């Protein structure tokens, strides 16, 4: 998805996936980011990503399976391995997504753990006020039991990616026309 | 539900409800506690409950609507008003439940906030490992978008109350036959 | 401190204080923001602040006493009263500070609760990677037992305000010279 | 410290330590537990501990260095490796401790993460209301910048271990004389 002509805002979607659920979420998050035309997107598993990808990115969406109510060992290791870069990457924009075994199983807490890790690197992190379907939102990141299948579940991932792209466009590149407050799409059901 | 003959374990279900959703949850939680025969149960809104109810209880289930990803002002006020009793009620057993506007809307975080408040009073707090339906659990307390309607949503509240009663029976009254590890009911779907 | 000529970035420091400790922190936070010359600053208690102050602000630092490991009733009420403005103020930049009764008493958790509330309004929230003295930092907001007295404690509040001003200057007004990564001040001890 | 005659309550102190700080904390926690005479104690690093130690224990104190505001990879791995035992060890009593690089550096959040992990296994978790020195407490677990050196820092670790032993004696063995509410030691400064 990279190196498209006329694109300059950089978004990295990184994920760790055990059963393919978080990978599926990552793909929808990336799709959502691509709704903003100026954004170039990389999507990588934590095995593929490295510190250069982090430096490259203006905004980062990080996804982990919910494992015991927090990030997986593998996802945590990715961020610990990045420690030599600490205090050199402050100010990036971050958000989170997670797939849990069942609703009520800790995906919100896992998103919060991911945001905590990113805050530790000096990132500005956010959730999304929008509802993307009846009784379905992503206030602290996109959460999901298992794999996203229903329309609202897919919309939740996409909205996260779109919002990240909007903030990057607006804050990193001064493109105020992408302020979601001016968006003409449905934000509440 | 009080003062039944032959009952001696004391459970208090307290709730704050705006739209009636958390109240409904509270009723199912109390029903779940009543599955353990030796348990006497009080269910009270925070307007009805007072410090004597807290002293009376061995175990407390507290429910709040999710308001901005944490407990409501009213529920918080109940616990702040209890501050003169601080360091006098350590060791009670606590758990939490919350109704949010939509899935992903902060109910897990609100349960965690309730547990944090109870830990501040020295309580021992818990969640439930059981699944009560397909992709439906209550690892950090019972969570719900809106009102509980579906069978698994109702089962989640009931299971929370039952588990609280089991721990009270086992830990406060030495009734090891109520250890849920010996239970003959379905704990995973 | 308002309406200085040539200033255009807007920072609001809001606080609730019981014993004057959080108020003292708020004053140091505001001092820190004033280290960035283009920033106009308002400092208000939650009794003085209203929704117009929120709309006015590009960046908001919110401070609460630690009460039972989370925000005080009064601080929570301020944000609940703001609910009619929900989904109209997304994208502001936010950070937190809190005074607790003793170290280990919940100030970090209270900062996290404040950040959670601000995320619920769609804010981008951050902590600070810098150390401001030996074994003293503010990774999730400025925390303090009692009143700030020691140099490092005061520096912690000031650094929070400065960082908020830096992000506002850089992200809201494109002033990349204020990127803290380019700062010539000590960031680690 | 094991197999002392006349001892029957079982406490396991497990830790991961990078710089020796958390190990030092673990030793003081174990000392605190030994203040209750009926308690047998094992202290093990996560490399030495295994599932049999978990089964053996009535109460578990878990300690991790603060790494990016949450548990270290190694500590998390210990608990993920235990997943085959999930739903078989509900109802143990748990608490947490953590050493961070500097105050405000995430040790409270790390304790909360440890408690979250233990709750996911169905444990009943707690903090301590006591103050152990001027402006020094452990409401969500014992926290420490670097190594415990000062008297209050050491007292904090010891008090955590003692409280764990008290709850185990009282709840698992019906020894109500160990209820800390009846203790004759100083609980507030």
């Amino acid at each position: 998805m990279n190196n498209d002509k006329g694109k300059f805002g950089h978004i990295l979607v990184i994920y760790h996936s055990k059963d393919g659920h978080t990978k599926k979420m990552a793909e929808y998050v990336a799709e959502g980011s691509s709704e903003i035309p100026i954004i170039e997107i990389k999507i990588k598993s934590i095995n593929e990503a490295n510190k250069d990808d982090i430096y490259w990115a203006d905004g980062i969406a990080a996804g982990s399976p919910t494992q015991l109510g927090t990030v997986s060992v593998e996802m945590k290791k990715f961020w610990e391995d990045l420690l030599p870069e600490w205090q050199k990457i402050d100010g990036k924009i971050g958000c989170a997504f997670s797939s849990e075994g069942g609703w009520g199983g800790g995906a919100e807490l896992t998103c919060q753990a991911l945001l905590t890790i990113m805050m530790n690197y000096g990132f500005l992190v956010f959730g999304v006020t929008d509802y993307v379907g009846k009784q379905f939102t992503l206030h602290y990141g996109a959460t999901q039991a298992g794999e996203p299948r229903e329309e609202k579940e897919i919309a939740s991932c996409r909205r996260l990616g779109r919002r990240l792209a909007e903030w990057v466009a607006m804050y990193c590149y001064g493109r105020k026309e992408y302020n979601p407050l001016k968006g003409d799409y449905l934000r509440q059901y």
Side-chain angles (χ1 to χ4, degrees), chain A:
Chain A
M1 267 181 268
N2 302 337
N3 299 318
D4 295 340
K5 212 162 125 189
K7 303 211 165 181
F8 44 88
H10 293 175
I11 284 184
L12 173 67
V13 181
I14 43 169
Y15 64 91
H16 170 237
S17 195
K18 296 205 166 170
D19 308 312
H21 302 161
T22 311
K23 183 174 194 293
K24 201 83 192 160
M25 293 182 84
E27 290 163 357
Y28 290 126
V29 170
E31 275 183 28
S33 292
S34 72
E35 294 172 19
I36 303 304
I38 65 166
I39 300 293
E40 199 180 321
I41 302 153
K42 284 186 191 174
I43 174 168
K44 294 199 173 188
S45 81
I46 47 158
N47 297 319
E48 301 161 334
N50 61 37
K51 71 178 170 110
D52 293 330
D53 297 309
I54 300 289
Y55 276 103
W56 172 84
D58 301 302
I60 297 171
S64 169
T66 298
Q67 287 277 297
L68 301 171
T70 187
V71 295
S72 66
V73 162
E74 291 86 346
M75 175 53 85
K76 181 73 199 300
K77 191 170 182 310
F78 174 81
W79 292 101
E80 288 198 12
D81 289 348
L82 203 66
L83 273 167
E85 314 311 316
W86 188 64
Q87 287 202 331
K88 300 175 192 165
I89 54 174
D90 293 72
K92 294 183 186 294
I93 297 178
C95 62
F97 55 99
S98 184
S99 170
E100 61 196 338
W103 291 106
E108 278 186 5
L109 300 178
T110 302
C111 283
Q112 194 179 51
L114 279 164
L115 298 177
T116 294
I117 289 168
M118 289 191 274
M119 286 179 63
N120 207 291
Y121 276 103
F123 291 15
L124 289 79
V125 302
F126 69 92
V128 176
T129 58
D130 310 20
Y131 281 71
V132 292
K134 191 172 179 299
Q135 293 191 322
F136 213 82
T137 186
L138 56 151
H139 288 353
Y140 304 98
T143 56
Q144 180 60 49
E147 187 179 5
R149 291 175 189 271
E150 292 182 51
E151 199 179 337
K152 65 188 175 187
E153 296 170 345
I154 293 167
S156 165
C157 300
R158 283 191 178 129
R159 190 61 56 89
L160 184 73
R162 181 187 179 104
R163 188 58 38 86
L164 177 58
E166 289 167 335
W167 294 138
V168 165
M170 177 177 152
Y171 278 130
C172 305
Y173 297 93
R175 300 290 291 263
K176 297 188 182 181
E177 68 270 33
Y178 292 118
N179 187 336
L181 292 172
K182 297 177 184 166
D184 58 356
Y185 51 93
L186 196 57
R187 293 184 59 214
Q188 183 144 19
Y189 284 72

PDB file of all heavy atoms in Angstrom, chain A residues 69-94:
ATOM      1  N   GLY A  69      -6.174 -10.489  30.072  1.00  0.00           N
ATOM      2  CA  GLY A  69      -6.584  -9.109  30.321  1.00  0.00           C
ATOM      3  C   GLY A  69      -5.548  -8.074  29.984  1.00  0.00           C
ATOM      4  O   GLY A  69      -5.673  -6.908  30.371  1.00  0.00           O
ATOM      5  N   THR A  70      -4.538  -8.462  29.216  1.00  0.00           N
ATOM      6  CA  THR A  70      -3.527  -7.477  28.827  1.00  0.00           C
ATOM      7  C   THR A  70      -2.847  -7.936  27.533  1.00  0.00           C
ATOM      8  O   THR A  70      -3.277  -8.919  26.920  1.00  0.00           O
ATOM      9  CB  THR A  70      -2.528  -7.219  29.980  1.00  0.00           C
ATOM     10  OG1 THR A  70      -1.672  -6.139  29.625  1.00  0.00           O
ATOM     11  CG2 THR A  70      -1.718  -8.445  30.315  1.00  0.00           C
ATOM     12  N   VAL A  71      -1.830  -7.208  27.105  1.00  0.00           N
ATOM     13  CA  VAL A  71      -1.173  -7.519  25.833  1.00  0.00           C
ATOM     14  C   VAL A  71      -0.462  -8.866  25.897  1.00  0.00           C
ATOM     15  O   VAL A  71      -0.025  -9.311  26.954  1.00  0.00           O
ATOM     16  CB  VAL A  71      -0.138  -6.437  25.454  1.00  0.00           C
ATOM     17  CG1 VAL A  71      -0.838  -5.108  25.202  1.00  0.00           C
ATOM     18  CG2 VAL A  71       0.926  -6.266  26.514  1.00  0.00           C
ATOM     19  N   SER A  72      -0.334  -9.492  24.751  1.00  0.00           N
ATOM     20  CA  SER A  72       0.377 -10.768  24.665  1.00  0.00           C
ATOM     21  C   SER A  72       1.864 -10.556  24.915  1.00  0.00           C
ATOM     22  O   SER A  72       2.392  -9.457  24.733  1.00  0.00           O
ATOM     23  CB  SER A  72       0.171 -11.376  23.277  1.00  0.00           C
ATOM     24  OG  SER A  72       0.805 -10.560  22.297  1.00  0.00           O
ATOM     25  N   VAL A  73       2.527 -11.621  25.323  1.00  0.00           N
ATOM     26  CA  VAL A  73       3.979 -11.597  25.511  1.00  0.00           C
ATOM     27  C   VAL A  73       4.678 -11.076  24.253  1.00  0.00           C
ATOM     28  O   VAL A  73       5.574 -10.227  24.316  1.00  0.00           O
ATOM     29  CB  VAL A  73       4.499 -13.016  25.850  1.00  0.00           C
ATOM     30  CG1 VAL A  73       5.998 -13.135  25.623  1.00  0.00           C
ATOM     31  CG2 VAL A  73       4.163 -13.370  27.294  1.00  0.00           C
ATOM     32  N   GLU A  74       4.247 -11.564  23.104  1.00  0.00           N
ATOM     33  CA  GLU A  74       4.922 -11.207  21.850  1.00  0.00           C
ATOM     34  C   GLU A  74       4.811  -9.707  21.572  1.00  0.00           C
ATOM     35  O   GLU A  74       5.779  -9.068  21.165  1.00  0.00           O
ATOM     36  CB  GLU A  74       4.317 -12.008  20.681  1.00  0.00           C
ATOM     37  CG  GLU A  74       4.636 -13.499  20.717  1.00  0.00           C
ATOM     38  CD  GLU A  74       3.645 -14.304  21.573  1.00  0.00           C
ATOM     39  OE1 GLU A  74       2.871 -13.693  22.345  1.00  0.00           O
ATOM     40  OE2 GLU A  74       3.641 -15.537  21.456  1.00  0.00           O
ATOM     41  N   MET A  75       3.611  -9.154  21.766  1.00  0.00           N
ATOM     42  CA  MET A  75       3.423  -7.716  21.535  1.00  0.00           C
ATOM     43  C   MET A  75       4.238  -6.906  22.545  1.00  0.00           C
ATOM     44  O   MET A  75       4.859  -5.911  22.194  1.00  0.00           O
ATOM     45  CB  MET A  75       1.934  -7.378  21.644  1.00  0.00           C
ATOM     46  CG  MET A  75       1.589  -5.908  21.544  1.00  0.00           C
ATOM     47  SD  MET A  75       2.234  -5.023  20.088  1.00  0.00           S
ATOM     48  CE  MET A  75       0.987  -5.353  18.836  1.00  0.00           C
ATOM     49  N   LYS A  76       4.244  -7.355  23.799  1.00  0.00           N
ATOM     50  CA  LYS A  76       5.031  -6.638  24.804  1.00  0.00           C
ATOM     51  C   LYS A  76       6.508  -6.678  24.443  1.00  0.00           C
ATOM     52  O   LYS A  76       7.212  -5.672  24.567  1.00  0.00           O
ATOM     53  CB  LYS A  76       4.798  -7.252  26.196  1.00  0.00           C
ATOM     54  CG  LYS A  76       5.566  -6.541  27.316  1.00  0.00           C
ATOM     55  CD  LYS A  76       4.987  -5.192  27.658  1.00  0.00           C
ATOM     56  CE  LYS A  76       5.923  -4.264  28.407  1.00  0.00           C
ATOM     57  NZ  LYS A  76       6.394  -4.758  29.684  1.00  0.00           N
ATOM     58  N   LYS A  77       6.969  -7.816  23.973  1.00  0.00           N
ATOM     59  CA  LYS A  77       8.380  -7.953  23.614  1.00  0.00           C
ATOM     60  C   LYS A  77       8.762  -6.980  22.503  1.00  0.00           C
ATOM     61  O   LYS A  77       9.839  -6.387  22.520  1.00  0.00           O
ATOM     62  CB  LYS A  77       8.671  -9.403  23.192  1.00  0.00           C
ATOM     63  CG  LYS A  77      10.166  -9.676  23.054  1.00  0.00           C
ATOM     64  CD  LYS A  77      10.478 -11.150  22.886  1.00  0.00           C
ATOM     65  CE  LYS A  77      11.979 -11.367  22.815  1.00  0.00           C
ATOM     66  NZ  LYS A  77      12.675 -10.498  21.858  1.00  0.00           N
ATOM     67  N   PHE A  78       7.879  -6.811  21.541  1.00  0.00           N
ATOM     68  CA  PHE A  78       8.158  -5.855  20.460  1.00  0.00           C
ATOM     69  C   PHE A  78       8.490  -4.483  21.043  1.00  0.00           C
ATOM     70  O   PHE A  78       9.459  -3.843  20.653  1.00  0.00           O
ATOM     71  CB  PHE A  78       6.945  -5.743  19.520  1.00  0.00           C
ATOM     72  CG  PHE A  78       7.114  -4.676  18.480  1.00  0.00           C
ATOM     73  CD1 PHE A  78       7.854  -4.928  17.336  1.00  0.00           C
ATOM     74  CD2 PHE A  78       6.558  -3.417  18.647  1.00  0.00           C
ATOM     75  CE1 PHE A  78       8.023  -3.940  16.375  1.00  0.00           C
ATOM     76  CE2 PHE A  78       6.733  -2.422  17.688  1.00  0.00           C
ATOM     77  CZ  PHE A  78       7.466  -2.686  16.554  1.00  0.00           C
ATOM     78  N   TRP A  79       7.695  -4.043  22.006  1.00  0.00           N
ATOM     79  CA  TRP A  79       7.891  -2.706  22.571  1.00  0.00           C
ATOM     80  C   TRP A  79       9.102  -2.663  23.494  1.00  0.00           C
ATOM     81  O   TRP A  79       9.805  -1.658  23.562  1.00  0.00           O
ATOM     82  CB  TRP A  79       6.620  -2.239  23.297  1.00  0.00           C
ATOM     83  CG  TRP A  79       5.492  -1.985  22.356  1.00  0.00           C
ATOM     84  CD1 TRP A  79       4.434  -2.806  22.092  1.00  0.00           C
ATOM     85  CD2 TRP A  79       5.318  -0.835  21.511  1.00  0.00           C
ATOM     86  NE1 TRP A  79       3.610  -2.235  21.148  1.00  0.00           N
ATOM     87  CE2 TRP A  79       4.123  -1.031  20.779  1.00  0.00           C
ATOM     88  CE3 TRP A  79       6.046   0.333  21.295  1.00  0.00           C
ATOM     89  CZ2 TRP A  79       3.641  -0.088  19.858  1.00  0.00           C
ATOM     90  CZ3 TRP A  79       5.564   1.268  20.382  1.00  0.00           C
ATOM     91  CH2 TRP A  79       4.380   1.050  19.674  1.00  0.00           C
ATOM     92  N   GLU A  80       9.369  -3.762  24.221  1.00  0.00           N
ATOM     93  CA  GLU A  80      10.574  -3.773  25.073  1.00  0.00           C
ATOM     94  C   GLU A  80      11.841  -3.761  24.215  1.00  0.00           C
ATOM     95  O   GLU A  80      12.834  -3.118  24.565  1.00  0.00           O
ATOM     96  CB  GLU A  80      10.567  -4.977  26.028  1.00  0.00           C
ATOM     97  CG  GLU A  80       9.534  -4.832  27.142  1.00  0.00           C
ATOM     98  CD  GLU A  80       9.772  -5.765  28.331  1.00  0.00           C
ATOM     99  OE1 GLU A  80      10.852  -6.378  28.435  1.00  0.00           O
ATOM    100  OE2 GLU A  80       8.844  -5.889  29.160  1.00  0.00           O
ATOM    101  N   ASP A  81      11.797  -4.463  23.087  1.00  0.00           N
ATOM    102  CA  ASP A  81      12.962  -4.480  22.196  1.00  0.00           C
ATOM    103  C   ASP A  81      13.243  -3.092  21.619  1.00  0.00           C
ATOM    104  O   ASP A  81      14.355  -2.803  21.174  1.00  0.00           O
ATOM    105  CB  ASP A  81      12.745  -5.475  21.046  1.00  0.00           C
ATOM    106  CG  ASP A  81      12.806  -6.918  21.532  1.00  0.00           C
ATOM    107  OD1 ASP A  81      13.227  -7.148  22.681  1.00  0.00           O
ATOM    108  OD2 ASP A  81      12.409  -7.823  20.771  1.00  0.00           O
ATOM    109  N   LEU A  82      12.220  -2.264  21.628  1.00  0.00           N
ATOM    110  CA  LEU A  82      12.350  -0.899  21.090  1.00  0.00           C
ATOM    111  C   LEU A  82      12.964   0.058  22.119  1.00  0.00           C
ATOM    112  O   LEU A  82      13.196   1.237  21.815  1.00  0.00           O
ATOM    113  CB  LEU A  82      10.953  -0.413  20.696  1.00  0.00           C
ATOM    114  CG  LEU A  82      10.806   0.694  19.656  1.00  0.00           C
ATOM    115  CD1 LEU A  82      11.273   0.224  18.288  1.00  0.00           C
ATOM    116  CD2 LEU A  82       9.358   1.177  19.605  1.00  0.00           C
ATOM    117  N   LEU A  83      13.251  -0.428  23.315  1.00  0.00           N
ATOM    118  CA  LEU A  83      13.686   0.467  24.393  1.00  0.00           C
ATOM    119  C   LEU A  83      14.911   1.323  24.063  1.00  0.00           C
ATOM    120  O   LEU A  83      14.983   2.466  24.526  1.00  0.00           O
ATOM    121  CB  LEU A  83      13.904  -0.318  25.695  1.00  0.00           C
ATOM    122  CG  LEU A  83      12.623  -0.464  26.536  1.00  0.00           C
ATOM    123  CD1 LEU A  83      12.817  -1.490  27.634  1.00  0.00           C
ATOM    124  CD2 LEU A  83      12.221   0.877  27.138  1.00  0.00           C
ATOM    125  N   PRO A  84      15.864   0.835  23.253  1.00  0.00           N
ATOM    126  CA  PRO A  84      16.981   1.736  22.904  1.00  0.00           C
ATOM    127  C   PRO A  84      16.529   3.017  22.205  1.00  0.00           C
ATOM    128  O   PRO A  84      17.263   4.008  22.209  1.00  0.00           O
ATOM    129  CB  PRO A  84      17.840   0.872  21.964  1.00  0.00           C
ATOM    130  CG  PRO A  84      17.523  -0.534  22.339  1.00  0.00           C
ATOM    131  CD  PRO A  84      16.080  -0.531  22.769  1.00  0.00           C
ATOM    132  N   GLU A  85      15.336   3.012  21.620  1.00  0.00           N
ATOM    133  CA  GLU A  85      14.833   4.209  20.928  1.00  0.00           C
ATOM    134  C   GLU A  85      14.044   5.122  21.861  1.00  0.00           C
ATOM    135  O   GLU A  85      13.520   6.140  21.432  1.00  0.00           O
ATOM    136  CB  GLU A  85      13.941   3.804  19.735  1.00  0.00           C
ATOM    137  CG  GLU A  85      14.496   2.699  18.857  1.00  0.00           C
ATOM    138  CD  GLU A  85      15.938   2.934  18.448  1.00  0.00           C
ATOM    139  OE1 GLU A  85      16.264   4.069  18.070  1.00  0.00           O
ATOM    140  OE2 GLU A  85      16.747   1.974  18.542  1.00  0.00           O
ATOM    141  N   TRP A  86      13.959   4.752  23.118  1.00  0.00           N
ATOM    142  CA  TRP A  86      13.135   5.516  24.071  1.00  0.00           C
ATOM    143  C   TRP A  86      13.641   6.954  24.194  1.00  0.00           C
ATOM    144  O   TRP A  86      14.833   7.193  24.155  1.00  0.00           O
ATOM    145  CB  TRP A  86      13.165   4.810  25.436  1.00  0.00           C
ATOM    146  CG  TRP A  86      12.215   5.392  26.423  1.00  0.00           C
ATOM    147  CD1 TRP A  86      10.855   5.424  26.338  1.00  0.00           C
ATOM    148  CD2 TRP A  86      12.562   6.030  27.644  1.00  0.00           C
ATOM    149  NE1 TRP A  86      10.327   6.044  27.433  1.00  0.00           N
ATOM    150  CE2 TRP A  86      11.351   6.433  28.254  1.00  0.00           C
ATOM    151  CE3 TRP A  86      13.759   6.308  28.288  1.00  0.00           C
ATOM    152  CZ2 TRP A  86      11.310   7.096  29.478  1.00  0.00           C
ATOM    153  CZ3 TRP A  86      13.729   6.959  29.497  1.00  0.00           C
ATOM    154  CH2 TRP A  86      12.516   7.350  30.082  1.00  0.00           C
ATOM    155  N   GLN A  87      12.711   7.874  24.332  1.00  0.00           N
ATOM    156  CA  GLN A  87      12.989   9.320  24.387  1.00  0.00           C
ATOM    157  C   GLN A  87      13.465   9.879  23.050  1.00  0.00           C
ATOM    158  O   GLN A  87      13.935  11.007  22.973  1.00  0.00           O
ATOM    159  CB  GLN A  87      13.978   9.670  25.502  1.00  0.00           C
ATOM    160  CG  GLN A  87      13.360   9.564  26.883  1.00  0.00           C
ATOM    161  CD  GLN A  87      14.113  10.390  27.909  1.00  0.00           C
ATOM    162  OE1 GLN A  87      15.303  10.615  27.806  1.00  0.00           O
ATOM    163  NE2 GLN A  87      13.404  10.868  28.923  1.00  0.00           N
ATOM    164  N   LYS A  88      13.347   9.076  21.983  1.00  0.00           N
ATOM    165  CA  LYS A  88      13.703   9.583  20.647  1.00  0.00           C
ATOM    166  C   LYS A  88      12.493   9.597  19.725  1.00  0.00           C
ATOM    167  O   LYS A  88      12.592  10.024  18.570  1.00  0.00           O
ATOM    168  CB  LYS A  88      14.786   8.692  20.019  1.00  0.00           C
ATOM    169  CG  LYS A  88      16.088   8.619  20.810  1.00  0.00           C
ATOM    170  CD  LYS A  88      17.040   7.621  20.161  1.00  0.00           C
ATOM    171  CE  LYS A  88      18.221   7.309  21.082  1.00  0.00           C
ATOM    172  NZ  LYS A  88      18.935   6.103  20.642  1.00  0.00           N
ATOM    173  N   ILE A  89      11.358   9.071  20.202  1.00  0.00           N
ATOM    174  CA  ILE A  89      10.193   8.965  19.314  1.00  0.00           C
ATOM    175  C   ILE A  89       8.946   9.589  19.932  1.00  0.00           C
ATOM    176  O   ILE A  89       7.828   9.284  19.514  1.00  0.00           O
ATOM    177  CB  ILE A  89       9.937   7.494  18.918  1.00  0.00           C
ATOM    178  CG1 ILE A  89       9.810   6.599  20.163  1.00  0.00           C
ATOM    179  CG2 ILE A  89      11.044   6.966  18.009  1.00  0.00           C
ATOM    180  CD1 ILE A  89       9.422   5.149  19.852  1.00  0.00           C
ATOM    181  N   ASP A  90       9.141  10.461  20.905  1.00  0.00           N
ATOM    182  CA  ASP A  90       8.001  11.157  21.530  1.00  0.00           C
ATOM    183  C   ASP A  90       7.121  11.837  20.481  1.00  0.00           C
ATOM    184  O   ASP A  90       7.621  12.305  19.461  1.00  0.00           O
ATOM    185  CB  ASP A  90       8.497  12.274  22.464  1.00  0.00           C
ATOM    186  CG  ASP A  90       9.232  11.771  23.677  1.00  0.00           C
ATOM    187  OD1 ASP A  90      10.378  11.292  23.529  1.00  0.00           O
ATOM    188  OD2 ASP A  90       8.654  11.838  24.769  1.00  0.00           O
ATOM    189  N   GLY A  91       5.851  11.923  20.816  1.00  0.00           N
ATOM    190  CA  GLY A  91       4.961  12.780  20.058  1.00  0.00           C
ATOM    191  C   GLY A  91       4.244  12.116  18.901  1.00  0.00           C
ATOM    192  O   GLY A  91       3.467  12.765  18.206  1.00  0.00           O
ATOM    193  N   LYS A  92       4.481  10.838  18.684  1.00  0.00           N
ATOM    194  CA  LYS A  92       3.693  10.161  17.662  1.00  0.00           C
ATOM    195  C   LYS A  92       2.252   9.998  18.159  1.00  0.00           C
ATOM    196  O   LYS A  92       1.982  10.108  19.351  1.00  0.00           O
ATOM    197  CB  LYS A  92       4.318   8.808  17.318  1.00  0.00           C
ATOM    198  CG  LYS A  92       5.686   8.998  16.662  1.00  0.00           C
ATOM    199  CD  LYS A  92       6.331   7.706  16.216  1.00  0.00           C
ATOM    200  CE  LYS A  92       7.742   7.977  15.704  1.00  0.00           C
ATOM    201  NZ  LYS A  92       7.780   8.801  14.472  1.00  0.00           N
ATOM    202  N   ILE A  93       1.364   9.741  17.228  1.00  0.00           N
ATOM    203  CA  ILE A  93      -0.050   9.592  17.572  1.00  0.00           C
ATOM    204  C   ILE A  93      -0.378   8.108  17.568  1.00  0.00           C
ATOM    205  O   ILE A  93      -0.025   7.403  16.615  1.00  0.00           O
ATOM    206  CB  ILE A  93      -0.930  10.382  16.583  1.00  0.00           C
ATOM    207  CG1 ILE A  93      -0.589  11.880  16.710  1.00  0.00           C
ATOM    208  CG2 ILE A  93      -2.411  10.132  16.846  1.00  0.00           C
ATOM    209  CD1 ILE A  93      -1.356  12.777  15.764  1.00  0.00           C
ATOM    210  N   GLY A  94      -1.021   7.624  18.644  1.00  0.00           N
ATOM    211  CA  GLY A  94      -1.237   6.186  18.780  1.00  0.00           C
ATOM    212  C   GLY A  94      -2.668   5.799  19.117  1.00  0.00           C
ATOM    213  O   GLY A  94      -3.409   6.572  19.728  1.00  0.00           O
TER     214      GLY A  94
END
